[in-house]
Amino acid sequence: MPTGLPPSQPAAAQPTARPDNKPSPPACPICGMPVIREESENFFEATIPNQPPVLLCSAVCAVVYTDRHPEVTRLDVFDYQRRTLVPAQTAFHLYESKLEVRAAMPPVTASFAVRSDAETARKAHSGRVLTWEELRRAIRQTNYYKTSP
């Protein structure tokens, strides 16, 4: 289809509007993936004083973000069982499980405020139950972390 431009110059991309006219969801500052609270079952929310909270799409992006921003004073994660935000540092994280977690990026994690909830999910879907510090160590060993933008 002719564009009126010489072949060496591609046509500029035109911005696209969402058909429902809703604002676009916030993008994860690490990978750029949209973070849709209503759809994600493993998002994180980081707080830095005097700044709005930052949504992160996955455990990998949360570890990368907190490593790059030591000024984060609060990190919350979506509780898979209770469907609310809980402190990531005190949650129990089911890592490398076969549990279906919506909007999850690998390695898949599901977080729980209560250890027994995490253990019940582990028994049904395999994986390892980790503390936040154990999860951080495990993620730092992955290629996902090592190659993050």
Side-chain angles (χ1 to χ4, degrees), residues 94-116:
L94 183 59
Y95 181 67
E96 295 182 322
S97 146
K98 292 180 176 50
L99 178 67
E100 285 199 28
V101 180
R102 287 185 309 159
M105 291 176 47
V108 173
T109 61
S111 300
F112 301 86
V114 178
R115 180 180 278 281
S116 62

Side-chain angles (χ1 to χ4, degrees), residues 4-136:
L5 295 174
S8 62
Q9 296 180 355
Q14 296 298 314
T16 57
R18 285 182 46 156
D20 57 10
N21 290 324
K22 291 182 181 176
S24 295
C28 175
I30 301 302
C31 71
M33 181 175 164
V35 183
I36 304 170
R37 285 175 170 263
E38 297 79 20
E39 295 178 13
S40 176
E41 293 180 322
N42 76 330
F43 72 91
F44 288 73
E45 184 178 274
T47 303
I48 294 174
N50 303 315
Q51 294 184 21
V54 173
L55 294 179
L56 302 151
C57 71
S58 67
V60 171
C61 291
V63 171
V64 171
Y65 188 83
T66 55
D67 283 353
R68 292 180 184 170
H69 297 277
E71 67 273 22
V72 169
T73 57
R74 182 175 177 98
L75 183 67
D76 291 322
V77 64
F78 185 78
D79 182 322
Y80 187 87
Q81 184 73 30
R82 289 172 171 68
R83 321 305 284 177
T84 188
L85 289 175
V86 298
Q89 290 87 345
T90 59
F92 300 92
H93 308 275
L94 183 59
Y95 181 67
E96 295 182 322
S97 146
K98 292 180 176 50
L99 178 67
E100 285 199 28
V101 180
R102 287 185 309 159
M105 291 176 47
V108 173
T109 61
S111 300
F112 301 86
V114 178
R115 180 180 278 281
S116 62
D117 292 342
E119 290 292 347
T120 299
R122 183 193 58 75
K123 288 175 185 169
H125 303 283
S126 74
R128 296 184 288 155
V129 175
L130 305 176
T131 65
W132 173 243
E133 287 306 317
E134 292 167 335
L135 179 64
R136 288 179 72 169

